[in-house]
Amino acid sequence: MFRPAQLLASGFLALSVLLSPLAFAGDTLDRVVKNKTLVVGMSGDQPPMNMRNRQGELMGFDVDLANALANAMGAELKLSPMPFGDLTKALADGEVDMVLSGMAITAERSRSASFVGPYMMSGKSILATRTALEQIASGGIAATDVKLAALKNSTSASFVTQAAPNATLVEVANYEEAIAMVTSGEAAGMVADAPVCKLQVLRNPDAGLVTLDKPLTVEPFGIALASGDAEFLNLVQNYLRAYEGTGLLTKLRQKWLENSSWVAALP
């Protein structure tokens, strides 16, 4: 089993002692405190943010952060994996208490959810063969007329629509589908967050895949909560502020973005 570092575990425990649930609660916090369970939605296929190891267990930056939040609330963590495109609806329907899945904070999403963060900065990049990437770069993303794959209902899909109006967008359910399209030549490239693209280059050394040296955009990742639940929003904000102040978020960034040893745990 792939286990978090002891240093992170001790940090979670210390913060869970220092930070206890508020005495007053909104609908979500009431549910979490009553059931002693925190239900967190994530796609489960967005490495290094969240993914499955060889045993089929979820791991990643988002999983560690979700564990920290559940521990601080004195609750058991229940992860609810689902396609990325279904996460926002699951949050609105009350099926999950929060969404922690490398979700970029946008004005459109903020119309139906409240965001805490950012807890990480990312940006859009392109995964493609060297020849395809050179073709896209030669005329610029705005002029390209190739087929590009992106996750359904993601900011990557919106980016393709807005920044590459001449390209043909293919929305897929998961990254594996998109990568298969790129390696088979069915699509010229996959548009996704920069960490995802970098990881796929490392994981597919014989596929001839490359990605951009610098992302095309800058995007903040946030924790999505149900709108109108001020008490739960305030609680999660306090926890995240504490995690940043104590260095826990820095340790998570180092663990998942700077140290590649965890890749060995992947299928």
Side-chain angles (χ1 to χ4, degrees):
M1 181 184 294
F2 187 76
R3 298 181 183 279
Q6 291 297 318
L7 180 60
L8 293 177
S10 62
F12 296 163
L13 179 60
L15 285 170
S16 67
V17 173
L18 291 172
L19 301 171
S20 57
L22 299 178
F24 53 93
D27 292 342
T28 307
L29 188 52
D30 252 345
R31 184 168 65 241
V32 171
V33 172
K34 179 180 179 181
N35 298 331
K36 296 189 180 303
T37 303
L38 178 68
V39 184
V40 178
M42 59 180 60
S43 69
D45 61 2
Q46 292 174 269
M49 305 310 294
N50 54 80
M51 59 260 168
R52 293 188 183 276
N53 61 20
R54 288 196 183 96
Q55 290 73 41
E57 299 165 332
L58 288 166
M59 68 178 196
F61 190 112
D62 291 332
V63 177
D64 281 356
L65 182 53
N67 267 302
L69 290 167
N71 287 341
M73 295 179 192
E76 178 184 352
L77 175 64
K78 178 182 178 182
L79 297 176
S80 182
M82 65 186 74
F84 187 88
D86 297 341
L87 289 169
T88 303
K89 185 177 186 301
L91 179 65
D93 291 346
E95 296 175 11
V96 298
D97 300 318
M98 65 172 61
V99 170
L100 230 175
S101 191
M103 182 171 282
I105 302 172
T106 67
E108 182 62 29
R109 285 177 178 154
S110 296
R111 296 176 63 190
S112 57
S114 296
F115 282 90
V116 173
Y119 62 89
M120 182 187 290
M121 300 301 294
S122 184
K124 296 305 171 196
S125 192
I126 302 174
L127 179 74
T129 64
R130 187 172 298 280
T131 300
L133 194 60
E134 289 175 350
Q135 176 186 351
I136 295 171
S138 63
I141 187 71
T144 188
D145 59 358
V146 298
K147 183 181 292 186
L148 296 174
L151 283 183
K152 183 179 179 181
N153 292 340
S154 68
T155 53
S156 297
S158 299
F159 174 78
V160 173
T161 300
Q162 297 168 9
N166 297 317
T168 300
L169 170 64
V170 179
E171 294 190 87
V172 296
N174 53 63
Y175 288 124
E176 285 72 20
E177 184 180 346
I179 293 166
M181 293 178 67
V182 173
T183 54
S184 68
E186 186 179 349
M190 176 185 79
V191 176
D193 295 313
V196 173
C197 293
K198 290 180 180 178
L199 175 63
Q200 295 308 324
V201 171
L202 294 175
R203 293 200 69 195
N204 299 276
D206 300 323
L209 298 176
V210 295
T211 189
L212 299 173
D213 293 331
K214 295 182 179 179
L216 297 167
T217 63
V218 176
E219 293 188 348
F221 285 173
I223 303 171
L225 309 176
S227 295
D229 200 338
E231 291 85 0
F232 193 52
L233 177 70
N234 181 65
L235 181 67
V236 178
Q237 282 178 331
N238 286 334
Y239 288 151
L240 198 63
R241 191 177 299 116
Y243 297 155
E244 189 69 78
T246 59
L248 183 58
L249 290 182
T250 297
K251 292 182 176 68
L252 289 180
R253 294 181 191 116
Q254 291 171 341
K255 175 183 177 181
W256 296 105
L257 300 180
E258 300 175 19
N259 185 343
S260 61
S261 62
W262 56 266
V263 175
L266 297 177

